[in-house]
Amino acid sequence: MTQKFRLENGGLINRDKKLSFKFNGKTYYGYEGDTLASALIANGVHLVGRSFKYHRPRGFFGAGVDEPYAIVQLYRNNETEPNIKATEQELFEGLVAKSVNCWPSVNFDIGAINNFLKIFLPAGFYYKTFMWPKSFWYRVYEPFIRKAAGLGVASTKHDKERYEHKYEYCDLLIAGSGPSGLASAYAAAKNGATVILAEDKPRFGGSLLTSDVNIGNQSGEDWANSIISELKEMPNVVVKNRSQVFGYYDHNMLVMSEKVSDHLPKTKKHHPKQRLWYIRAKEVLISSGSIERPLVFGNNDTPGVMLSSAAKEYLKVYGVLVGKNPLVFTNNDSGYETAIEFKKNGVNPIILDSRVNPQSEIIDEAINLGIKIKFSHVVVAAQGYKKVSSADIAKISDDKKQLGAIENINCDCICVSGFWTPTIHLASQSGNKTKFKEEIDAFVPGTSKQKETTLGAANGIFTLEETLKDSFIAGQDLSKKITNNDNKISFPNVVEKKSSQHDKFWCVPMPKGKSYKRFLDFQNDVAVSDIEIALKEGYRSIEHVKRYTTLGMATDQGKTSNLNGLQLVSDIENKVVPAVGHTTFRPPYTPISIGAIVGREVGKHSKPTRKSPMHSWHEKNNAVFVDAGVWLRPRYYKQGSETLFEASKREAKNVRTNVGICDVTTLGKIDIKGPDAAELLNRVYTNAWLKLPVGKARYGVMLREDGIVMDDGTTTRISENHYHMTTTTAQAANVLSHLEYYLQLVWPELNVNVVSTTEQWAGAAIAGPKSRKLLEKLFPNNDVSNEGLPFMGYMESELFGVKARIFRISFSGELAYEVNVESDNGQFMWEKIIELGQEFQVQPYGTEALSTLRIEMGHVAGSELDGRTISYDTSLEGLISKKKDFIGKRSLNREAFNSSDRQKIVGVVPLDKKTSIPEGSHLVKDAQAPLPNKKLGHISASCWSVEHDNPFSLAILKDGKNMIGEKLFVMSPLKNKVIPVEIVSSHYVDPKGERVRS
Amino acid sequence: MLHIKCPHCGMRSQNEFSYGGDASVKRPDLNKEISDEEWDNFVYNRKSLRGKHLELWQHLSGCRQWIKVERDTATHEIFNTYKADEEIS
């Protein structure tokens, strides 16, 4: 297929490198340096999709980030990506793309029937029509609407590409490499400032690549190239193309998305696909330019109607004609520049200018070139369905209200220019209150809010000379403040053609007897009539009009539609535009892929993995791991074809009959030192701590100031002023912060230091009736008898030459010890215990058996200390000292905490002694009671009691104290279960606590 | 993302810190008889004001020090930061 619309010469593409690509199954050719859009237009393809609501044919409207139409599904290296703008996607060999929002094909689209029903689909149609019956929404309406409307399809496959995040600091961040970006970057760089210059397109230079100007005796493009090559050589400058600064956040942090590999057929090895830059800049220069405004007329969405600046860009950058019989419809001089470029390339355009008799250098040039110009003329409507074939034009009265006789002229494209809208998104995101500039009928940034300066067209300045001058000065002054250098740069001579005033006209009146759709928002199919309906129905705030009509809400965020929408509202409401105001600009400026936002934090990298020093032993011994916060802990050790239930039962049973060993390294450990350490503990825990002797451990409960239990654990007095605190695995970090808070802010007079030693010690719990015998083997030189090392005793020893701490504490209700060694010796300790424990039938046990053992004996853990329970609820009120004050004590006076039927922990056993009780189930009095059935409590933890060989659960139950022996029902609507149960004591094993002291 | 000057470490990104609420709240002394109202004011009642606010942050992934930050809750402007024990004029 030949590229019929490609010029023989010209453009910045590489004609030596021909690329093949597929669009909707058909093979085409383009050149290196093309976008998908320019290559398709070169091949005469103008139908690329269907519109969102009416499924009207869609072509190309712009040539870059502002494109509302040309959205495709892209296929690259066996991956697919939705909603890619053809105007931004660079061509590569083998690119495959398809149209979206059309079925069965873009040429024959069934949804286009909506177009003929459009009278039925005005603003708010969905809201009004699909409201009732309510049940129809989920079953009927929504699936249908979802299928009919919508853009591309996201891949459900795992994304194999890599996305990176990068953090960077600089003196000046400059967004945009047009004339103002280049000039300010150059001046700042010469002053020695560190500069990041970001350009969203592949080529630097912005408008200089398409405008007919001269800077310092060079063409605009040559000047841009010379500046860029000089900047690239400077060590203090980072120059980035394909990089969009899309968000301006607090404290001068901006985020930029760099498309590192999207323009290549395949991402290179070790390269990311995209990179997200978090840039903290001292100063930000916004030189994001401006976007041409459309003019509004009948059928202005027909393929072939496009911005005149885009037509010029396709011509000058890509050597592509958007049409061979163009009509230019303008209200300012920009349209003339496009017409002149057509003429220079042998094409005869016609210009329709809404102005009466404008005069300027550019107009004179057009006249001299023999271009046909019709002043006071407008396009009333475009004709043609899948492509413009002609235009209905008419003379317009000076007051722009009356149309003359309509005449039809042939054309194959209509290039529109309704003047320029500064791209103020970044400035507005920074918090800048924008102001309306009457001369250009658009908003520009007001007073700087953060450290941002807006320059050039983004600031509403449309002459090159002024732009360059401002930008050189801004670059120089801002960098001087930072570096104290003052290198003056000689100002280049600028030659540009002077423009005349634009026409304050943007919407062609509807001719009598016609009902053309005149579109404002091209991506969301919002027409003039929709806004009129919204206002008629009483919507006044522009934010409400936006949401009701969806004006400016599509993926292009109204880059080409917002201002015309505002103009319309202000005309109808008889207000000035600034009184209407604009909707809020929010980041991102342009859609950013989810992959880039997530970066490397996917799968295993989404959080760190903490492993105990004994991890490799667990792995070798068939441990099945479970996530405990960021820790990986053995859940059970699988033997043969055992299930979790079977294995945990075996492990727990072995603890009750022989001896088990459990890796408890993950428990939080805090080292507390200082003369006031005992005083700190006394204030933090509810029980008394001042008299704990050296070499003894004590169990403690700490509260929050609101009286709720925060955490529990044992703390051991290692020496006079040295304590070892343990916390639960989950609360370790919070408890440390809690202690630091009180030490640093509330009681700074306490002379105490706290530091986390969780990772310094490897811990093994040795539990079971045979644990003492095993301990004797491990520490043959120590007296570990009940007298030598009593319950809650502590001793320091050596485990075959390795320093060890032995605590006699129990979490299982059995005679038990915990041995700690320095982490490096963890594996040695573990293997030694296993080796010497063989004769006592030692077995490792995982967290599942650990839970079983603690539930059976009624020892509370995280599922009971859930941030809603007080000491009484968990039967820990015996540990509340009456003699001293402590954190949270004053809250315990609260009425609810002291009510006579306050909730309390109880044990729950199913009457059939068989049915396991799902955790989280509710306890109710009457299973048949009508809903809402009053909840008396909930099941906090469940296990299979190995002691009694039947299910057992813990519950927090209202008036639990007086409920022992009652028969209730457990209900789990989720699991569809109703289980009759009996309430028993929470201490289901060894209620007197004799074993731990044996 | 805020940029907070830790008085011990220098300018650091917000994600190194955790928020600790109103810094003007003073915990009643231990063992002191106080009214329910006073205690409620300490535990629960906060001003949630718009504008200049003195608040606590902990430099969690840094020096672990609790610091005081004077911040505008509406604009996020940070006027000053102080060490925990620093006198604030």
Side-chain angles (χ1 to χ4, degrees):
Chain A
M1 188 134 199
T2 52
Q3 300 179 39
K4 282 184 294 189
F5 289 82
R6 183 84 68 180
L7 294 166
E8 294 283 312
N9 303 298
L12 307 175
I13 45 167
N14 178 9
R15 287 172 192 263
D16 295 333
K17 191 133 183 230
K18 203 169 168 182
L19 302 173
S20 77
F21 67 100
K22 264 189 182 168
F23 181 67
N24 286 339
K26 213 162 160 184
T27 303
Y28 300 95
Y29 294 94
Y31 293 115
E32 188 180 77
D34 261 325
T35 59
L36 175 57
S38 68
L40 283 171
I41 297 173
N43 286 283
V45 178
H46 278 269
L47 179 62
V48 282
R50 292 283 176 160
S51 74
F52 194 67
K53 199 156 93 179
Y54 302 126
H55 289 243
R56 285 163 71 106
R58 284 291 180 252
F60 301 95
F61 194 69
V65 66
D66 51 322
E67 177 62 34
Y69 295 157
I71 285 168
V72 298
Q73 184 85 24
L74 186 79
Y75 300 82
R76 170 182 174 271
N77 191 26
N78 298 319
E79 299 277 350
T80 182
E81 212 177 324
N83 303 348
I84 298 292
K85 293 188 187 93
T87 53
E88 289 194 297
Q89 177 60 50
E90 291 173 66
L91 201 63
F92 54 76
E93 178 57 39
L95 180 150
V96 176
K98 282 183 190 161
S99 297
V100 297
N101 203 27
C102 52
W103 184 83
S105 78
V106 68
N107 259 306
F108 177 72
D109 175 24
I110 284 178
I113 196 145
N114 287 355
N115 188 29
F116 302 102
L117 298 174
K118 69 191 170 216
I119 189 156
F120 299 117
L121 289 171
F125 173 74
Y126 291 102
Y127 296 125
K128 291 169 191 160
T129 311
F130 297 123
M131 288 300 286
W132 54 82
K134 212 178 162 191
S135 62
F136 264 46
W137 175 252
Y138 295 106
R139 287 191 290 120
V140 184
Y141 298 143
E142 197 189 3
F144 170 76
I145 294 166
R146 289 260 176 254
K147 199 169 150 55
L151 301 169
V153 181
S155 170
T156 51
K157 281 200 303 180
H158 172 71
D159 188 350
K160 292 193 290 287
E161 296 278 358
R162 209 176 69 189
Y163 300 85
E164 279 180 358
H165 285 183
K166 184 178 167 74
Y167 294 81
E168 196 56 89
Y169 292 81
C170 63
D171 293 333
L172 273 80
L173 169 65
I174 298 166
S177 76
S180 61
L182 289 173
S184 52
Y186 189 74
K190 284 281 175 194
N191 253 348
T194 55
V195 173
I196 297 175
L197 175 64
E199 168 60 46
D200 73 312
K201 292 200 167 187
R203 296 174 187 83
F204 296 98
S207 64
L208 293 172
L209 300 180
T210 56
S211 52
D212 186 14
V213 294
N214 197 294
I215 307 172
N217 295 323
Q218 298 179 84
S219 73
E221 186 206 334
D222 288 345
W223 182 80
N225 287 336
S226 67
I227 295 278
I228 277 291
S229 12
E230 204 175 326
L231 287 173
K232 278 182 176 167
E233 294 302 313
M234 298 174 75
N236 53 330
V237 181
V238 174
V239 173
K240 280 284 164 192
N241 57 343
R242 304 188 174 98
S243 297
Q244 177 82 59
V245 180
F246 66 78
Y248 199 137
Y249 299 89
D250 290 311
H251 293 186
N252 255 33
M253 193 187 77
L254 291 97
V255 186
M256 170 171 98
S257 125
E258 181 190 4
K259 294 199 168 161
V260 184
S261 309
D262 292 71
H263 63 294
L264 301 170
K266 199 176 152 183
T267 306
K268 282 188 216 151
K269 210 178 171 185
H270 307 307
H271 281 224
K273 182 165 188 260
Q274 295 177 9
R275 185 181 287 129
L276 209 64
W277 293 56
Y278 292 87
I279 303 170
R280 197 75 79 165
K282 287 192 186 127
E283 295 283 345
V284 178
L285 294 180
I286 300 167
S287 44
S288 45
S290 56
I291 292 173
E292 203 164 20
R293 276 205 292 277
L295 288 166
V296 181
F297 53 87
N299 302 330
N300 56 336
D301 64 331
T302 311
V305 177
M306 68 165 66
L307 293 174
S308 89
S309 57
K312 189 171 72 167
E313 188 168 332
Y314 286 118
L315 235 164
K316 290 206 75 167
V317 175
Y318 305 101
V320 170
L321 290 171
V322 299
K324 292 182 176 172
N325 191 10
L327 184 66
V328 174
F329 175 26
T330 188
N331 72 358
N332 70 95
D333 286 5
S334 297
Y336 289 79
E337 292 176 22
T338 303
I340 289 166
E341 288 304 326
F342 273 119
K343 185 76 183 175
K344 281 182 184 167
N345 284 286
V347 173
N348 286 315
I350 301 172
I351 298 176
L352 303 189
D353 191 331
S354 67
R355 296 175 292 183
V356 183
N357 184 24
Q359 305 222 334
S360 76
E361 277 182 75
I362 300 170
I363 297 169
D364 289 345
E365 186 184 351
I367 293 168
N368 291 337
L369 283 168
I371 295 172
K372 194 171 165 192
I373 304 169
K374 284 168 172 278
F375 294 116
S376 290
H377 268 74
V378 296
V379 174
V380 175
Q383 299 296 350
Y385 182 54
K386 289 175 188 168
K387 176 79 198 287
V388 171
S389 56
S390 68
D392 290 343
I393 67 166
K395 200 166 194 311
I396 193 161
S397 62
D398 290 0
D399 65 0
K400 314 289 186 199
K401 293 208 170 117
Q402 308 297 321
L403 292 172
I406 289 171
E407 177 194 353
N408 183 269
I409 60 169
N410 283 331
C411 60
D412 61 355
C413 67
I414 302 174
C415 307
V416 295
S417 177
F419 206 53
W420 296 86
T421 307
T423 306
I424 56 171
H425 300 63
L426 285 177
S428 177
Q429 287 171 20
S430 90
N432 190 310
K433 291 265 176 282
T434 57
K435 61 184 184 201
F436 192 73
K437 196 168 169 185
E438 201 81 39
E439 306 96 273
I440 61 166
D441 287 328
F443 288 92
V444 291
T447 318
S448 296
K449 181 73 186 179
Q450 299 195 42
K451 295 277 186 187
E452 94 279 359
T453 309
T454 309
L455 295 166
N459 197 27
I461 296 182
F462 296 124
T463 71
L464 182 62
E465 186 162 8
E466 202 181 340
T467 291
L468 286 179
K469 204 171 234 165
D470 285 355
S471 307
F472 272 118
I473 292 170
Q476 211 156 13
D477 289 356
L478 292 170
S479 55
K480 188 178 148 188
K481 276 201 301 187
I482 297 165
T483 66
N484 290 322
N485 294 332
D486 196 9
N487 291 321
K488 290 268 181 281
I489 293 175
S490 58
F491 193 73
N493 184 40
V494 176
V495 183
E496 65 181 316
K497 292 186 199 92
K498 289 201 173 50
S499 302
S500 52
Q501 172 67 35
H502 79 282
D503 198 0
K504 290 180 178 294
F505 165 78
W506 57 277
C507 183
V508 179
M510 185 80 84
K512 279 198 187 74
K514 298 283 183 191
S515 62
Y516 299 121
K517 277 273 171 195
R518 292 171 297 169
F519 285 95
L520 288 167
D521 186 308
F522 301 105
Q523 198 173 98
N524 265 355
D525 282 2
V526 181
V528 171
S529 50
D530 294 314
I531 304 286
E532 287 168 347
I533 287 174
L535 293 167
K536 212 178 281 175
E537 292 182 358
Y539 290 90
R540 288 294 174 273
S541 153
I542 190 67
E543 297 281 1
H544 292 162
V545 171
K546 167 181 168 171
R547 279 155 187 84
Y548 193 56
T549 62
T550 72
L551 173 78
M553 282 176 71
T555 66
D556 68 337
Q557 290 282 291
K559 290 183 177 65
T560 50
S561 64
N562 278 342
L563 259 178
N564 282 343
L566 290 182
Q567 289 280 13
L568 180 64
V569 173
S570 66
D571 280 4
I572 298 173
E573 292 279 283
N574 239 330
K575 281 184 191 162
V576 287
V577 175
V580 176
H582 59 73
T583 53
T584 315
F585 292 99
R586 290 193 183 88
Y589 171 68
T590 187
I592 303 300
S593 53
I594 299 287
I597 294 167
V598 176
R600 300 290 303 272
E601 292 173 17
V602 286
K604 280 275 159 211
H605 297 291
S606 60
K607 58 184 198 292
T609 303
R610 293 173 92 180
K611 297 175 182 172
S612 94
M614 288 82 97
H615 189 82
S616 62
W617 189 95
H618 304 322
E619 269 179 332
K620 270 184 241 144
N621 288 275
N622 299 322
V624 176
F625 291 94
V626 62
D627 289 326
V630 292
W631 289 96
L632 273 184
R633 297 189 73 177
R635 190 172 186 192
Y636 62 102
Y637 299 81
K638 196 181 175 104
Q639 289 186 359
S641 57
E642 271 181 333
T643 61
L644 161 69
F645 180 64
E646 290 161 351
S648 62
K649 231 160 88 172
R650 167 182 53 75
E651 291 171 8
K653 186 86 192 154
N654 191 56
V655 172
R656 294 261 181 257
T657 48
N658 296 306
V659 57
I661 163 176
C662 182
D663 186 347
V664 292
T665 303
T666 62
L667 279 187
K669 303 176 201 79
I670 298 170
D671 211 49
I672 303 175
K673 275 185 180 168
D676 296 322
E679 178 60 30
L680 173 71
L681 294 171
N682 210 41
R683 294 178 185 188
V684 166
Y685 284 128
T686 61
N687 49 345
W689 283 82
L690 296 179
K691 288 178 184 155
L692 181 72
V694 172
K696 278 283 190 183
R698 186 166 284 176
Y699 176 72
V701 174
M702 59 178 80
L703 310 185
R704 311 189 309 215
E705 291 286 18
D706 62 1
I708 300 286
V709 176
M710 180 178 180
D711 199 39
D712 69 341
T714 57
T715 293
T716 306
R717 192 165 194 180
I718 304 284
S719 67
E720 180 65 22
N721 294 328
H722 184 190
Y723 291 79
H724 173 81
M725 175 187 271
T726 65
T727 72
T728 59
T729 303
Q731 291 291 331
N734 291 342
V735 171
L736 182 65
S737 272
H738 182 71
L739 299 180
E740 285 165 336
Y741 174 88
Y742 284 93
L743 285 174
Q744 292 173 27
L745 294 161
V746 185
W747 305 310
E749 68 279 8
L750 292 185
N751 189 358
V752 185
N753 264 313
V754 292
V755 67
S756 165
T757 54
T758 302
E759 282 166 356
Q760 275 61 42
W761 297 101
I766 304 171
K770 297 180 184 169
S771 58
R772 183 177 293 124
K773 285 189 182 136
L774 174 50
L775 212 67
E776 283 165 3
K777 294 266 173 185
L778 291 167
F779 303 99
N781 300 327
N782 292 93
D783 175 12
V784 295
S785 68
N786 204 20
E787 294 72 39
L789 182 58
F791 181 55
M792 294 310 249
Y794 165 76
M795 76 168 49
E796 285 169 13
S797 182
E798 276 200 355
L799 178 78
F800 301 99
V802 166
K803 195 169 95 183
R805 291 173 165 184
I806 314 166
F807 305 85
R808 185 168 164 194
I809 52 178
S810 177
F811 191 55
S812 56
E814 295 297 327
L815 169 67
Y817 303 88
E818 197 183 307
V819 181
N820 280 6
V821 295
E822 285 167 0
S823 291
D824 287 352
N825 301 320
Q827 181 103 356
F828 170 79
M829 165 184 70
W830 189 270
E831 285 172 352
K832 226 36 195 178
I833 298 171
I834 294 285
E835 182 196 323
L836 297 175
Q838 288 310 309
E839 60 176 294
F840 310 111
Q841 292 80 44
V842 73
Q843 282 186 27
Y845 62 102
T847 55
E848 201 69 23
L850 183 80
S851 292
T852 296
L853 296 166
R854 76 96 187 163
I855 293 168
E856 273 192 317
M857 69 151 311
H859 195 127
V860 295
S863 47
E864 289 77 36
L865 309 180
D866 62 356
R868 296 179 295 181
T869 49
I870 59 170
S871 294
Y872 176 86
D873 306 348
T874 46
S875 287
L876 298 169
E877 68 273 27
L879 291 175
I880 294 176
S881 165
K882 295 205 165 58
K883 292 182 190 146
K884 58 143 193 176
D885 199 1
F886 53 84
I887 292 169
K889 187 177 191 183
R890 182 65 177 77
S891 290
L892 300 180
N893 295 351
R894 286 167 62 183
E895 203 178 317
F897 289 178
N898 295 288
S899 74
S900 57
D901 61 350
R902 177 79 198 175
Q903 61 179 11
K904 198 166 188 61
I905 187 167
V906 293
V908 180
V909 179
L911 293 184
D912 67 358
K913 304 268 175 117
K914 274 189 213 128
T915 313
S916 286
I917 301 172
E919 291 177 346
S921 306
H922 284 188
L923 284 155
V924 298
K925 183 132 195 120
D926 174 7
Q928 307 300 323
L931 295 175
N933 195 344
K934 198 178 175 216
K935 170 195 162 194
L936 301 175
H938 73 277
I939 301 293
S940 61
S942 287
C943 72
W944 186 277
S945 163
V946 289
E947 181 96 358
H948 297 272
D949 202 24
N950 58 251
F952 176 74
S953 298
L954 292 176
I956 306 288
L957 180 65
K958 193 174 176 74
D959 198 18
K961 191 177 165 188
N962 299 313
M963 294 293 274
I964 308 295
E966 292 284 320
K967 305 264 192 318
L968 297 175
F969 293 91
V970 155
M971 293 188 80
S972 173
L974 275 178
K975 300 254 162 93
N976 201 19
K977 277 191 177 174
V978 178
I979 308 164
V981 295
E982 184 182 354
I983 305 303
V984 299
S985 156
S986 61
H987 300 294
Y988 203 41
V989 171
D990 188 24
K992 288 184 185 147
E994 285 161 349
R995 294 182 196 176
V996 293
R997 292 183 172 80
S998 62
Chain B
M1 204 188 298
L2 307 187
H3 210 199
I4 301 169
K5 187 180 175 185
C6 171
H8 309 277
C9 308
M11 295 301 288
R12 297 301 174 97
S13 192
Q14 181 185 344
N15 48 14
E16 292 186 15
F17 296 84
S18 70
Y19 184 68
D22 189 344
S24 66
V25 174
K26 239 187 99 65
R27 190 192 191 282
D29 288 342
L30 288 167
N31 301 307
K32 193 184 152 197
E33 285 279 321
I34 54 166
S35 67
D36 286 349
E37 197 187 341
E38 270 177 276
W39 183 253
D40 282 352
N41 282 339
F42 160 63
V43 179
Y44 298 104
N45 298 334
R46 297 293 180 271
K47 285 193 207 88
S48 189
L49 49 78
R50 181 190 168 89
K52 225 182 218 187
H53 187 231
L54 190 68
E55 57 203 17
L56 295 169
W57 289 75
Q58 190 185 14
H59 194 189
L60 206 65
S61 311
C63 61
R64 296 203 62 92
Q65 293 302 300
W66 284 91
I67 61 168
K68 291 174 185 170
V69 176
E70 198 174 32
R71 182 181 67 106
D72 190 308
T73 57
T75 65
H76 291 315
E77 185 180 353
I78 291 178
F79 306 99
N80 219 333
T81 58
Y82 308 90
K83 294 179 185 171
D85 57 357
E86 216 171 312
E87 279 298 314
I88 298 165
S89 47

